[in-house]
Amino acid sequence: MSILTLSKAINEGLRKAMEDDPKVLIMGEDVGKLGGVFRVTDGLQKDFGEDRVIDTPLAESGIVGTAIGLALRGYRPICEIQFDGFVFPAADQIITQLAKMPLRSLGAIKLPVVVRIPCGGGIGAVEHHSESPEAYFTHTGGLRVVACSNPADAYSMIQQAVRSDDPVIFFEPKRRYWEKAEVDTASTDWWTPFDEASVVRQGTDVTLLAYGPMVKTCLEAATAAQDEGRSLEVIDLRSLNPLDFPKVMESARKTGRVVVVHEAPVYNGFGAELAARITESCFYHLESPVLRVGGFSTPYPPSKLEDHYLPDLDRILEAVDRTFTY
Amino acid sequence: MTVDASRGADAPPELVQLLTPEGERVEHPDYDIDLTPEEVRSLYRDLVLVRRVDLEAVALQRQGELGIWASLLGQEAAQIGSGRALTDADMAFPTYREHGVAWCRDVDPVNLLGLFRGVNHGGWDPAEHNFHLYTIVIGSQTLHAVGYAMGIQRDGANAATIAYFGDGATSQGDVNESFIWASVFNAPIVFFCQNNQWAISEPLEKQTRIPLYRRASGFGFPGIRVDGNDVFACLAVTRQALRNAREGQGPTLIEAFTYRMGAHTTTDDPTRYRVASELEAWKLKDPIERLKAYLFKNELADQAFLDSVEAEAEDLGADLRRRCLEMPDPGPLDIFDHVYTGSHALIAEERAQYAAYLEGFES
């Protein structure tokens, strides 16, 4: 058992994946000597060499495009996109090639490529460094899209992503990189499959659905609500495509009230899919419409304003209160 | 502003040529080729047969059997010359027009038709032929080719990759990124640009103000312009570039100077944007006619040989037509196949729901 930050947990997971399989490569901007701008790949180039931890030219389409070629040759590349807002130059390769090539080949081709994306706001960054682009990728068939929320999951999920024969978009909550928790690196018995959701707090009155950085915020909201006599269940979705519908529906039927929380804009955000699905599947169990808490339909604001943009404990609890007004 | 980027039928001075349009064998200080008569006849056969495959596919489209077809007419020598330069271990990354290269990689021509007929998006196993699937997004495959070449480097294999693309693709970011990647990683790759003068309706002047092969020098590797209608020159230049790549000398850009004698695809009407005299000038440089002239002049083939190739071409066309028409349509639930390698709850659910919906019509 080790106490690891989320950043270090991914680092340890990457190290384990590289030790387990010599075909695993890491590629990205500044991932080598520097160890990545968030130090997620710290020390890996030193131990695995420049051929396996590749400092690339500064071109995101090139990173993903050449990763596809390496995968065609039998390698398992892990691409680091330095910041969420920089994934868009790679979006073409991800959407038109990475997601679609296995089907194009009628199953002859497997593309075990992981695209790691530090995501979300809350770190006082400049434009393009605080975005939540998950819905662009959940809307693209052929990709698996996952988001870790804590060090233990980060450690296990990155390894499962690397082992997956499908391309995986792997979101990392950058404002949680420095948060610590115990991680059992000696065993895999405790691993939850990376396409399953986790009930991270049991409750009976309202279900909060979240992923990535918002899981912690929801847990804090649940603690605060308890003081007011409300029992909130918190589900960490972990995987956005596929989505663990059975676990979500079971909770929705139990509580009858659901609030979805994400940093991305509410309008056409991932929460819209959840709200629609829950309504379709659990209509007669619901006591209130499914409510959503998230970012505004604006570009991400300057950091002095991000506290207004990002869902916080109060906005979540306000939505919880509203579920009791129907 | 008008920029002369050397478009047109007049051979620019930098062109590597080993066989003139009149079928005369010429010497070049840097490139030579030594082919047996049998090998020359074999190249001729390749050129004729792939043109026949192309002709049949155009006809199939005209008759509604294909949704669209991208003709290679005029580019046979560029494709056969470069394709025959590859060893079995080399890997090729095509656009959607490399029917001649596919031929060289033993891809059954009928398998090229699937995506144009709408029964699949790609009908062969790339690893079986070392010929990747057709890529429709312009230039994307050049990055895949470089990545694959980086894999060859890591494997220590005696192989190279070749990336095909056109003059229009040279404006794409991915192609320029692939040049940078190949250069800084010294990847074993040949960039084979078929400059057919036209990107649908846009002439070369819309893509460049210098000859394309000269772009390579800015990226730090050699660029060569070859007569793309000269199968000998294409073979010799590509063979050398591949050899250099395999020997660790890094990438080469080959600009095969050729001409798209047909439309961009069967949906296109070139009379809207180019003059007939341009095509007439290029017809005089036809890749097949010049090799035929060479064969006759040097008494390497007789009429019986030409007739036998022609008969083989007719059989190939008829067989292709028959098998195209026999190609089974996919079933509706095939939509859900091969999206993911393993089980995927959402796809499984949608498949089950749609199957039940379809069954509702049967009862």
Side-chain angles (χ1 to χ4, degrees):
Chain A
M1 201 66 88
S2 320
I3 304 284
L4 300 178
T5 63
L6 191 148
S7 165
K8 183 64 176 170
I10 299 173
N11 178 275
E12 290 291 330
L14 292 170
R15 175 178 293 278
K16 191 71 177 38
M18 296 191 81
E19 286 169 356
D20 288 349
D21 185 348
K23 293 292 188 183
V24 173
L25 309 175
I26 289 174
M27 47 200 302
E29 299 159 6
D30 307 300
V31 297
K33 277 209 175 76
L34 183 68
V37 296
F38 292 108
R39 308 295 182 262
V40 173
T41 56
D42 189 33
L44 297 177
Q45 190 184 64
K46 181 170 155 286
D47 293 342
F48 294 99
E50 292 183 12
D51 277 352
R52 291 191 66 195
V53 181
I54 306 167
D55 272 325
T56 66
L58 267 66
E60 288 77 10
S61 189
I63 295 171
V64 176
T66 54
I68 290 169
L70 280 155
L72 291 171
R73 183 75 192 178
Y75 287 86
R76 304 181 85 87
I78 305 163
C79 304
E80 175 172 304
I81 301 296
Q82 198 159 70
F83 282 92
D84 34 56
F86 302 159
V87 73
F88 301 109
D92 172 36
Q93 283 287 346
I94 294 173
I95 293 168
T96 71
Q97 305 302 326
L98 185 61
K100 296 177 171 68
M101 198 183 287
L103 183 146
R104 190 179 303 150
S105 75
L106 303 177
I109 287 173
K110 292 175 183 170
L111 290 182
V113 176
V114 178
V115 181
R116 294 181 36 241
I117 308 175
C119 70
I123 64 163
V126 297
E127 195 182 9
H128 313 301
H129 289 66
S130 304
E131 302 192 358
S132 299
E134 61 271 14
Y136 297 112
F137 301 108
T138 57
H139 199 65
T140 301
L143 302 175
R144 291 179 184 268
V145 182
V146 301
C148 60
S149 70
N150 62 75
D153 267 355
Y155 174 77
S156 85
M157 287 171 72
I158 190 66
Q159 291 182 69
Q160 294 181 65
V162 174
R163 290 179 191 178
S164 169
D165 280 336
D166 296 320
V168 179
I169 308 297
F170 192 91
F171 284 105
E172 301 170 4
K174 71 168 83 79
R175 74 160 116 162
R176 308 294 183 208
Y177 271 142
W178 303 280
E179 297 189 359
K180 292 180 181 174
E182 281 194 344
V183 181
D184 177 3
T185 55
S187 150
T188 60
D189 299 342
W190 56 272
W191 286 16
T192 303
F194 83 143
D195 55 0
E196 288 183 14
S198 291
V199 179
V200 290
R201 183 185 169 111
Q202 302 269 356
T204 54
D205 296 335
V206 180
T207 300
L208 299 183
L209 299 178
Y211 51 89
M214 282 292 107
V215 173
K216 187 184 182 208
T217 312
C218 285
L219 286 169
E220 290 166 355
T223 302
Q226 191 173 33
D227 298 339
E228 298 169 5
R230 278 199 179 131
S231 168
L232 306 192
E233 180 146 298
V234 180
I235 294 183
D236 179 353
L237 295 174
R238 299 172 83 250
S239 176
L240 307 185
N241 186 2
L243 186 69
D244 189 348
F245 289 123
K247 213 162 281 176
V248 169
M249 300 314 173
E250 188 189 351
S251 181
R253 290 193 185 101
K254 181 174 78 175
T255 62
R257 294 181 175 84
V258 180
V259 176
V260 187
V261 184
H262 54 55
E263 292 189 14
V266 168
Y267 185 75
N268 261 307
F270 191 69
E273 179 63 30
L274 288 164
R277 289 261 172 180
I278 292 166
T279 305
E280 285 170 12
S281 300
C282 311
F283 189 67
Y284 291 109
H285 294 82
L286 295 179
E287 302 293 340
S288 116
V290 178
L291 298 183
R292 292 167 290 162
V293 180
F296 303 118
S297 304
T298 65
Y300 198 87
S303 61
K304 294 285 188 194
L305 294 171
E306 69 180 340
D307 287 347
H308 292 282
Y309 180 90
L310 293 168
D312 60 8
L313 191 144
D314 289 334
R315 278 172 61 193
I316 294 168
L317 291 177
E318 188 270 339
V320 167
D321 287 344
R322 270 194 286 134
T323 64
F324 287 91
T325 62
Y326 292 92
Chain B
M1 188 175 72
T2 304
V3 178
D4 176 13
S6 304
R7 182 166 62 85
D10 294 333
E14 312 97 332
L15 203 69
V16 175
Q17 188 180 69
L18 299 178
L19 189 64
T20 69
E22 295 73 33
E24 298 288 345
R25 186 73 171 76
V26 288
E27 299 302 316
H28 189 278
D30 301 324
Y31 295 96
D32 196 12
I33 196 152
D34 187 19
L35 298 169
T36 65
E38 182 54 40
E39 286 169 329
V40 178
R41 284 193 293 268
S42 182
L43 287 172
Y44 176 80
R45 173 178 171 270
D46 285 339
L47 295 172
V48 171
L49 294 188
V50 299
R51 180 170 285 188
R52 188 63 184 83
V53 166
D54 189 75
L55 181 72
E56 195 63 39
V58 171
L60 285 164
Q61 192 281 333
R62 294 296 183 230
Q63 292 154 2
E65 298 296 341
L66 300 180
I68 191 171
W69 178 253
S71 170
L72 63 47
L73 187 65
Q75 299 176 221
E76 295 88 351
Q79 295 194 14
I80 295 298
S82 61
R84 288 298 179 206
L86 297 165
T87 66
D88 287 347
D90 295 335
M91 179 74 185
F93 287 81
T95 71
Y96 43 79
R97 203 189 295 279
E98 265 66 72
H99 321 312
V101 186
W103 174 261
C104 297
R105 303 308 275 174
D106 291 329
V107 175
D108 186 333
V110 78
N111 290 338
L112 303 177
L113 302 185
L115 83 95
F116 297 100
R117 190 168 165 85
V119 303
N120 57 42
H121 293 315
W124 60 92
D125 179 352
E128 190 182 320
H129 301 277
N130 271 357
F131 182 72
H132 191 64
L133 299 169
Y134 279 179
T135 299
I136 294 175
V137 177
I138 302 300
S140 293
Q141 74 281 0
T142 57
L143 282 170
H144 310 155
V146 174
Y148 194 94
M150 291 167 69
I152 289 174
Q153 277 180 315
R154 278 154 183 75
D155 296 342
N158 181 28
T161 63
I162 187 166
Y164 288 90
F165 53 99
D167 41 296
T170 63
S171 299
Q172 285 281 357
D174 276 3
V175 173
N176 287 273
E177 289 183 22
S178 74
F179 288 175
I180 292 165
W181 239 265
S183 176
V184 301
F185 292 110
N186 200 43
I189 183 166
V190 174
F191 293 107
F192 195 89
C193 175
Q194 289 168 82
N195 174 3
N196 68 15
Q197 315 302 326
W198 291 94
I200 305 189
S201 69
E202 295 197 4
L204 191 63
E205 291 88 345
K206 297 289 183 191
Q207 318 295 340
T208 189
R209 56 187 286 172
I210 62 163
L212 291 173
Y213 76 96
R214 285 196 205 154
R215 294 231 183 121
S217 69
F219 292 92
F221 52 85
I224 303 151
R225 179 180 270 182
V226 60
D227 183 340
N229 287 13
D230 171 355
V231 71
F232 291 167
C234 289
L235 179 58
V237 169
T238 311
R239 197 176 261 173
Q240 184 60 46
L242 286 166
R243 190 179 300 136
N244 292 347
R246 288 187 216 104
E247 289 173 356
Q249 296 177 53
T252 302
L253 170 62
I254 298 172
E255 177 191 359
F257 201 81
T258 181
Y259 191 72
R260 192 192 78 207
M261 293 172 80
H264 165 69
T265 69
T266 44
T267 63
D268 176 33
D269 175 11
T271 64
R272 291 175 72 97
Y273 53 81
R274 64 187 192 189
V275 295
S277 60
E278 188 178 287
L279 175 61
E280 293 309 312
W282 276 94
K283 278 184 180 170
L284 300 175
K285 301 156 78 80
D286 186 281
I288 298 181
E289 291 305 315
R290 77 171 74 179
L291 190 59
K292 189 196 285 184
Y294 174 80
L295 283 169
F296 270 130
K297 277 180 193 170
N298 294 278
E299 298 182 349
L300 300 177
D302 55 15
Q303 190 59 43
F305 169 75
L306 298 189
D307 291 346
S308 73
V309 173
E310 203 51 49
E312 187 181 2
E314 284 311 308
D315 289 347
L316 180 66
D319 181 62
L320 183 67
R321 162 170 298 268
R322 181 180 56 77
R323 291 193 296 143
C324 175
L325 302 184
E326 287 171 2
M327 204 182 285
D329 283 347
L333 297 182
D334 291 353
I335 291 173
F336 303 100
D337 287 346
H338 309 304
V339 182
Y340 296 93
T341 56
S343 65
H344 187 281
L346 181 62
I347 299 292
E349 178 190 312
E350 290 180 1
R351 172 198 281 272
Q353 285 173 351
Y354 196 60
Y357 172 80
L358 292 175
E359 277 170 20
F361 291 96
E362 290 165 10
S363 55

